[in-house]
Amino acid sequence: MRLLPIAGLLALGLLPVIGRFLPATLSWGFHHAAYIPWWSVAILLAAWAALLIPPLHRALDRLLFDRLAAALFGRSPLPAFLAAAILCAAFVLLTTPTRLLGDGVLVGELAGLGNPFRIHDMMDYLLHRLALTAIGKAGSKEVSFQIYRWGSWIAGFLAALTALLILRRARMNPAGKMLTFSLFILAAPTLIYCGYVESYAYLSIGMLGFLWTGAMAQRGECPPWVPGLFYGIAFFFHTTAVFALPALLLLVFFPGARRKRRPAWPLQILLPALALPAAAIAIHLALGYDAGWFRRDFIESKNQRQMLIGLTGPHGLLGLRHLKDVANWLLLVAPVTGWLIVSKRRALLARLREPEIAFLAIQVAAFLAPFLLLDRKLGAARDWDLMTPQVAGFALLAARLWEAD
């Protein structure tokens, strides 16, 4: 590794300590050490510094990238299931005590009160509401929140298992697979698996599967219907899967592996990708979603009337507050993967002709447009989770760029 990437990672490790002394509104993406006692900060700093000691660093490398990687990605799939179960237990233990992140309070209360539909939350909301009715607890807000918590934990198990099983099929060395999995599972977006009350957990599994298997399909490592199926799952659960549509279209029209031998490639992707969202729409229609609901959700809704931020003003695209919030979000959600990708920007540009890299890069570009332009009604800090399911590809892209190192 070169000096600059190492220096950047060291600086990222110190940011939470620096954020402890800054106003929360200025550093909301990295000020979390302000909420824990000094002695725990000291322990974390000592552990972080210990990683720089060569013998300990080498020992940790051997443990993670040799022994653990060999177990997780060896012949037997059982260690992958065991690891997913252990991580699920960790998600339960780390359950967030608050419902004030994202739309948690609103979503849980609406489901508890029996509000029929939240069309943008698609089947995620509908299935939670139907589950509440099925167990005879319609009208109970507290049980509604508990169902969301259970759903979040189950999604965490499925996400970890999905990531491990996909990586087992990838043509990467075990160390590269371990790096990819670590960058994914140790990042802030996994908070949505910690009893998090919102509608993004199952969307995130679909996006994870779509982005990772889409890259593999471009390399000829899996059939094209697999990423199509995962995209369909993502859209089945939440409409913000549409943000990944440019990556889907690139996958459909620019297949990277044996293009001439696969005339049915587009159909294999599009059939599952469209069938599952169509099934979700059909279910909504069968349960009473009609023109009146459509008018309220898409035409009369205040949120729909102004979806984009302005160009100027304190909250505008060019405003300092917006730039501050963008920086905080990146430092919260993708600090390490973002820095690793930026550090390899020249290699990234040089490898854009590789179908897999082009697929992952177009997803990053497609992510940036709504990320920068969407008006987050709750504010950037409260609405931090809106775009988190879209960043699973960052981990694989960073690992691919750094695999040789």
Side-chain angles (χ1 to χ4, degrees):
M1 293 180 77
R2 297 179 181 178
L3 183 59
L4 182 60
I6 295 175
L9 292 174
L10 292 176
L12 288 173
L14 287 174
L15 266 183
V17 179
I18 297 172
R20 183 182 178 96
F21 301 98
L22 297 176
T25 53
L26 181 66
S27 58
W28 58 262
F30 57 96
H31 78 304
H32 306 91
Y35 300 98
I36 58 178
W38 255 114
W39 60 265
S40 58
V41 176
I43 291 175
L44 290 173
L45 274 175
W48 170 79
L51 294 178
L52 304 178
I53 300 173
L56 291 177
H57 177 77
R58 288 193 293 269
L60 185 62
D61 271 357
R62 287 194 295 271
L63 176 63
L64 287 179
F65 297 107
D66 292 336
R67 296 178 183 176
L68 187 56
L72 290 176
F73 306 112
R75 291 185 176 181
S76 173
L78 290 180
F81 283 85
L82 178 61
I86 293 172
L87 285 168
C88 181
F91 296 145
V92 174
L93 291 174
L94 295 172
T95 294
T96 174
T98 179
R99 301 164 186 164
L100 297 176
L101 300 170
D103 279 329
V105 172
L106 177 63
V107 171
E109 288 185 349
L110 287 176
L113 294 173
N115 186 68
F117 308 108
R118 271 177 64 88
I119 193 61
H120 295 298
D121 292 341
M122 211 64 158
M123 290 302 297
D124 191 289
Y125 173 84
L126 186 58
L127 288 174
H128 279 90
R129 181 183 68 77
L130 292 175
L132 190 65
T133 303
I135 63 174
K137 294 294 183 178
S140 172
K141 295 180 184 178
E142 189 52 45
V143 176
S144 174
F145 286 122
Q146 188 59 38
I147 288 177
Y148 268 98
R149 281 192 290 269
W150 275 95
S152 170
W153 298 329
I154 294 170
F157 172 80
L158 294 175
L161 184 61
T162 298
L164 289 169
L165 293 181
I166 289 174
L167 288 171
R168 286 176 58 83
R169 295 292 303 272
R171 287 202 295 265
M172 297 175 72
N173 60 57
K177 294 179 181 181
M178 195 67 213
L179 176 61
T180 306
F181 183 69
S182 300
L183 291 174
F184 166 71
I185 208 68
L186 297 177
T190 52
L191 179 64
I192 62 177
Y193 307 133
C194 297
Y196 194 84
V197 180
E198 248 293 5
S199 297
Y200 300 124
Y202 293 93
L203 162 69
S204 73
I205 299 172
M207 291 306 304
L208 162 70
F210 167 64
L211 294 171
W212 287 15
T213 62
M216 290 170 61
Q218 291 291 68
R219 290 163 58 95
E221 296 175 12
C222 76
W225 64 262
V226 178
L229 176 63
F230 273 115
Y231 184 85
I233 291 171
F235 218 137
F236 180 83
F237 282 106
H238 207 280
T239 58
T240 54
V242 73
F243 296 152
L245 184 59
L248 178 71
L249 294 177
L250 181 138
L251 191 64
V252 168
F253 294 111
F254 299 96
R258 294 174 291 175
R259 186 181 311 176
K260 294 181 180 179
R261 300 182 187 178
R262 299 188 179 187
W265 175 289
L267 195 60
Q268 292 182 58
I269 298 172
L270 289 175
L271 273 179
L274 298 178
L276 285 171
I281 293 171
I283 293 170
H284 277 76
L285 294 174
L287 293 177
Y289 191 88
D290 55 19
W293 276 99
F294 181 87
R295 185 172 59 253
R296 284 190 292 271
D297 288 334
F298 291 96
I299 299 174
E300 299 173 356
S301 170
K302 292 181 180 180
N303 288 344
Q304 297 296 120
R305 292 178 185 176
Q306 185 178 346
M307 297 184 63
L308 305 179
I309 62 172
L311 185 62
T312 58
H315 297 281
L317 180 64
L318 303 179
L320 291 178
R321 186 175 299 177
H322 180 63
L323 296 177
K324 178 262 296 182
D325 286 337
V326 165
N328 271 279
W329 190 92
L330 291 171
L331 289 171
L332 172 66
V333 174
V336 176
T337 52
W339 176 247
L340 290 177
I341 293 171
V342 169
S343 300
K344 286 283 190 177
R345 57 193 178 279
R346 291 183 180 176
L348 174 61
L349 292 174
R351 295 179 61 182
L352 281 178
R353 291 186 178 182
E354 298 177 25
E356 172 201 26
I357 300 298
F359 171 76
L360 294 171
I362 199 68
Q363 168 61 14
V364 173
F367 153 85
L368 287 175
F371 171 67
L372 293 173
L373 299 178
L374 277 181
D375 183 8
R376 292 167 174 79
K377 306 301 182 183
L378 300 178
R382 277 283 300 276
D383 241 354
W384 76 280
D385 51 8
L386 176 63
M387 300 298 296
T388 54
Q390 308 289 330
V391 301
F394 284 38
L396 182 57
L397 179 58
R400 283 296 190 191
L401 293 175
W402 281 93
E403 187 177 8
D405 295 87

